[in-house]
Amino acid sequence: MRIPARLACLDRVAEFVLGLGARAALPESSLYRLRLAADELATNIVMHGYRGTAGEISVDGGIDPDQVWVRFEDDAPAFDPRQGMRAPVLDVPLAERQIGGLGVFLAFTAVDSFEYELVAGRNVSTLVMRRPATAAGPGTG
């Protein structure tokens, strides 16, 4: 699927991820976490990658016997989303904490795997959620 890099279009990403997770029989908690990570990644591509300029995001996904994956590709300036990721500093009062990066941390630690690579000038980010053994039987995928 290809969508314009606009916040108004990100509902289509959520619908895609929810449909993929349902077909893969992901448990509700796993599907919630995968959607959270996909929402955060797509929002970051729009807000921090394209920064309001015109662009497009390609979203693909698949169901393998042991996992579900969602891949995002974009032509925004090269950026590994993990660069802004940091664990929350819980011993500092909320008002004194540094802004930014927490959403990325929460999203990418919610999935089982996150990979980023720059391929021919395109950002390629892949989220992976393992499937429970009961959902990963023969004929699924």
Side-chain angles (χ1 to χ4, degrees), residues 3 7 10 13 37-47 57 72:
I3 61 168
L7 291 177
L10 297 186
V13 173
D39 286 345
E40 180 68 22
L41 182 56
T43 300
N44 279 350
I45 292 169
V46 171
M47 300 294 293
I57 304 171
F72 292 82

Side-chain angles (χ1 to χ4, degrees), residues 1-78:
M1 151 173 84
R2 296 168 78 96
I3 61 168
R6 295 194 319 256
L7 291 177
C9 297
L10 297 186
D11 283 347
R12 292 174 52 195
V13 173
E15 291 170 11
F16 175 78
V17 171
L18 290 173
L20 187 66
R23 287 192 308 279
L26 277 181
E28 191 173 322
S29 64
S30 296
L31 181 53
Y32 172 82
R33 294 187 336 257
L34 181 60
R35 180 184 173 192
L36 171 74
D39 286 345
E40 180 68 22
L41 182 56
T43 300
N44 279 350
I45 292 169
V46 171
M47 300 294 293
H48 304 294
Y50 286 109
R51 297 180 185 255
T53 61
E56 189 174 73
I57 304 171
S58 297
V59 184
D60 190 15
I63 303 168
D64 296 333
D66 61 341
Q67 66 186 18
V68 176
W69 55 271
V70 179
R71 181 172 299 122
F72 292 82
E73 294 187 35
D74 66 79
D75 293 313

